[in-house]
Amino acid sequence: MKYSFLEIAPDVAEALQNKRPVVALESTIIAHGMSYPDNVENALRCEAIVRENGALPATIAIIDGRFKVGLSTDEIERLGREGQKISKTSRRDIAFILARKACGATTVASTMIAARLAGIPIFATGGIGGVHRGAAETMDISADLQELARTNVAVVCAGAKAVLNLELTLEYLETYGVPVVGFQTEEFPAFYTRRSGLPVDYRIDTPEELAFALRVKWDTGVQGGVVIANPIPKSHAMNRESVEQAIEQAIHDADAQEIRGKALTPFLLARVEQLTSGVSLLANKALVQNNAALAAKVAAAYSALD
Ligand code: PSU
Ligand code: MN
């Protein structure tokens, strides 16, 4: 018996068959990254932005034991309402959440896996996971990085989440051969802020050049993803000192409350949101939406190469 688990929404399947542009979107950001109703509102806004920029959105999650590529509004609403009750599902969890016929909110890693299975090469998120500060002791390194090393999907993000050690995250990506491309920037953006002081490998200025570089990469047969780093819009970029202060406080609180493992990233994001009186939430929404727009343009340019 082969268990059939993948369910591609009819409009997404049709677009893929006709080589029309599709952008994958993740669902951990819905269930764990923001609270209700901001999470739902932001997810639906991202889908609308993808459409406005010439591509079809495919939000990905596990719903009652089906790996779904393309969710209905009701399903997005359900993920948003149930929030933390939905399992955060990364690579290691996929089979077990499917087998239990449960629901799972997919991380960057597991969304890449589903996107690859469905044949979607472009994916937009907020920030990828990475090497946590203090990882030398905790060994907390997101499975997102290993996924980027092996799975052929380009991830448009605003850098890695600022709660991480960005320098070590870039070192790790280099070791595993993952290219980090700056969109209209030479610097790796730091999620809530536009700069980190750390260089990207390549600067690319247009969606068309990005699409062509992706095509060439995958035509060479070199396996693995690409990080497309797109800085947060200037209008929503946060003050570096105040956000850094909030992050340090949040990490301190996580330590004191012994928050570890997969609970850590959602805890830090929520705590930073409290400490900045919601300013970080506005920034988070703005950067995700900005990434959705760029991903749609890259997907459209990628399709046009055929
Ligand atoms: N980007 C956001 N908010 C999020 C995430 C990314 O703006 O909530 C999620 C992504 O799903 C990412 C995950 O894969 O956080 C990383 O979790 P961890 O560090 O436990 O691997
Ligand atoms: Mn982790």
Side-chain angles (χ1 to χ4, degrees):
M1 177 205 90
K2 193 152 182 345
Y3 177 64
S4 123
F5 56 87
L6 190 67
E7 189 172 324
I8 305 177
D11 59 339
V12 174
E14 203 212 308
L16 291 169
Q17 233 148 41
N18 295 303
K19 297 192 183 290
R20 287 202 309 273
V22 176
V23 171
L25 298 165
E26 60 143 314
S27 48
T28 289
I29 188 169
I30 304 175
H32 298 264
M34 293 180 193
S35 47
Y36 185 80
D38 290 283
N39 51 9
V40 172
E41 185 226 321
N42 183 65
L44 297 176
R45 187 77 200 101
C46 284
E47 289 206 337
I49 288 170
V50 168
R51 289 178 201 275
E52 284 159 20
N53 286 279
L56 195 67
T59 303
I60 291 173
I62 298 177
I63 305 285
D64 300 325
R66 310 279 299 160
F67 213 163
K68 288 208 175 184
V69 177
L71 299 184
S72 68
T73 304
D74 283 350
E75 287 165 336
I76 289 176
E77 173 74 24
R78 178 174 169 194
L79 291 174
R81 260 186 202 284
E82 294 189 19
Q84 311 272 336
K85 276 185 263 167
I86 306 270
S87 301
K88 180 173 162 186
T89 303
S90 197
R91 166 178 272 264
R92 65 171 177 186
D93 311 293
I94 295 171
F96 297 87
I97 299 297
L98 288 172
R100 280 183 182 167
K101 310 247 188 302
C103 291
T106 50
T107 62
V108 168
S110 51
T111 304
M112 287 177 75
I113 291 170
R116 179 77 183 130
L117 286 170
I120 305 171
I122 318 287
F123 162 24
T125 184
I128 56 168
V131 181
H132 280 267
R133 302 183 189 187
E137 261 182 49
T138 63
M139 283 183 70
D140 190 347
I141 299 173
S142 176
D144 294 353
L145 300 184
Q146 279 293 318
E147 207 58 53
L148 281 159
R150 71 213 294 183
T151 301
N152 296 3
V153 171
V155 183
V156 181
C157 60
K161 264 158 299 192
V163 298
L164 303 166
N165 184 323
L166 299 186
E167 201 166 354
L168 294 187
T169 299
L170 290 174
E171 290 292 350
Y172 194 100
L173 290 169
E174 180 188 357
T175 301
Y176 285 93
V178 180
V180 178
V181 178
F183 182 68
Q184 299 179 345
T185 181
E186 273 109 42
E187 243 179 78
F188 192 57
F191 199 68
Y192 300 121
T193 57
R194 291 174 60 85
R195 312 176 69 110
S196 65
L198 302 165
V200 293
D201 305 322
Y202 299 95
R203 172 185 173 139
I204 292 187
D205 288 331
T206 66
E208 290 71 26
E209 288 168 274
L210 267 173
F212 185 63
L214 294 177
R215 169 51 62 81
V216 172
K217 181 186 192 291
W218 291 321
D219 279 353
T220 61
V222 177
Q223 298 297 307
V226 174
V227 174
I228 299 175
N230 185 31
I232 182 171
K234 283 195 182 96
S235 55
H236 285 82
M238 292 177 72
N239 173 281
R240 193 201 281 257
E241 284 77 44
S242 60
V243 78
E244 187 52 37
Q245 224 176 10
I247 289 168
E248 270 166 23
Q249 179 71 46
I251 290 173
H252 176 270
D253 296 347
D255 219 36
Q257 295 175 43
E258 296 182 18
I259 311 273
R260 294 195 195 97
K262 70 183 194 177
L264 182 61
T265 296
F267 175 89
L268 293 176
L269 290 175
R271 191 75 186 105
V272 169
E273 187 183 320
Q274 285 174 342
L275 291 165
T276 62
S277 321
V279 177
S280 73
L281 174 64
L282 295 179
N284 202 344
K285 287 184 186 174
L287 67 85
V288 181
Q289 292 172 17
N290 189 45
N291 295 340
L294 177 59
K297 290 177 195 159
V298 176
Y302 193 84
S303 288
L305 292 171
D306 281 315

